[in-house]
Amino acid sequence: MANRDVTCKIRLFKPAVKKLTGAVIPSLVQTAEVLHTDSVQSQTMPFLTGNLQNDSTFVDDSKAESGTVSIVSDTPYARRLYYHPEYNFNKSENPNAGGRWLDTYLPGGTKEDLAQNTFNGIYKKEAGL
């Protein structure tokens, strides 16, 4: 085999790169909003007065610029309810209520692909692809 010199020039179209890069953060935040909405519509959160689900659970996008968004429940009892699925949850308002209500979005869960698929779709739209 002969040695061959190979050269390559790459020229980036900076406006396109800027548009693609700029689509990441809004897509990330919108994806978290979709997951939050889906968790409410799935009626899996414990619901007695509605405070936990409707007032105290929200998307925290304060760290979105660094690539992190969170779905936060900021009541003192949210952690206790989440990590104790053995509790006898009231199911009159939310028939699927129970602990660990976000596990369906984690690997092995029934909606494990929802976040990735949602992000992909929103990103394509935001980036104009």
Side-chain angles (χ1 to χ4, degrees):
M1 294 176 74
N3 248 351
R4 295 185 184 177
D5 290 334
V6 177
T7 59
C8 178
K9 280 188 178 184
I10 298 175
R11 193 168 13 154
L12 297 175
F13 186 59
K14 289 182 182 181
V17 171
K18 186 176 181 178
K19 187 172 184 179
L20 293 172
T21 304
V24 173
I25 302 302
S27 300
L28 179 63
V29 173
Q30 289 177 51
T31 298
E33 293 288 355
V34 167
L35 292 179
H36 175 237
T37 299
D38 187 74
S39 72
V40 171
Q41 290 175 347
S42 297
Q43 299 179 316
T44 56
M45 292 183 77
F47 190 108
L48 187 57
T49 64
N51 185 52
L52 175 62
Q53 175 181 287
N54 299 327
D55 300 325
S56 298
T57 300
F58 57 92
V59 172
D60 177 6
D61 63 356
S62 62
K63 297 179 184 174
E65 291 295 325
S66 64
T68 300
V69 294
S70 303
I71 298 175
V72 176
S73 296
D74 68 354
T75 62
Y77 53 86
R79 181 180 182 83
R80 179 173 27 96
L81 293 175
Y82 189 82
Y83 288 107
H84 289 282
E86 74 276 5
Y87 288 167
N88 185 18
F89 291 95
N90 179 335
K91 297 184 183 234
S92 61
E93 291 291 331
N94 282 351
N96 304 314
R100 305 194 64 91
W101 52 88
L102 296 175
D103 281 6
T104 58
Y105 305 103
L106 298 176
T110 57
K111 297 180 180 183
E112 68 179 325
D113 296 329
L114 182 62
Q116 185 67 56
N117 292 340
T118 300
F119 179 84
N120 291 347
I122 293 171
Y123 180 76
K124 286 178 184 178
K125 182 179 176 187
E126 287 286 324
L129 301 176

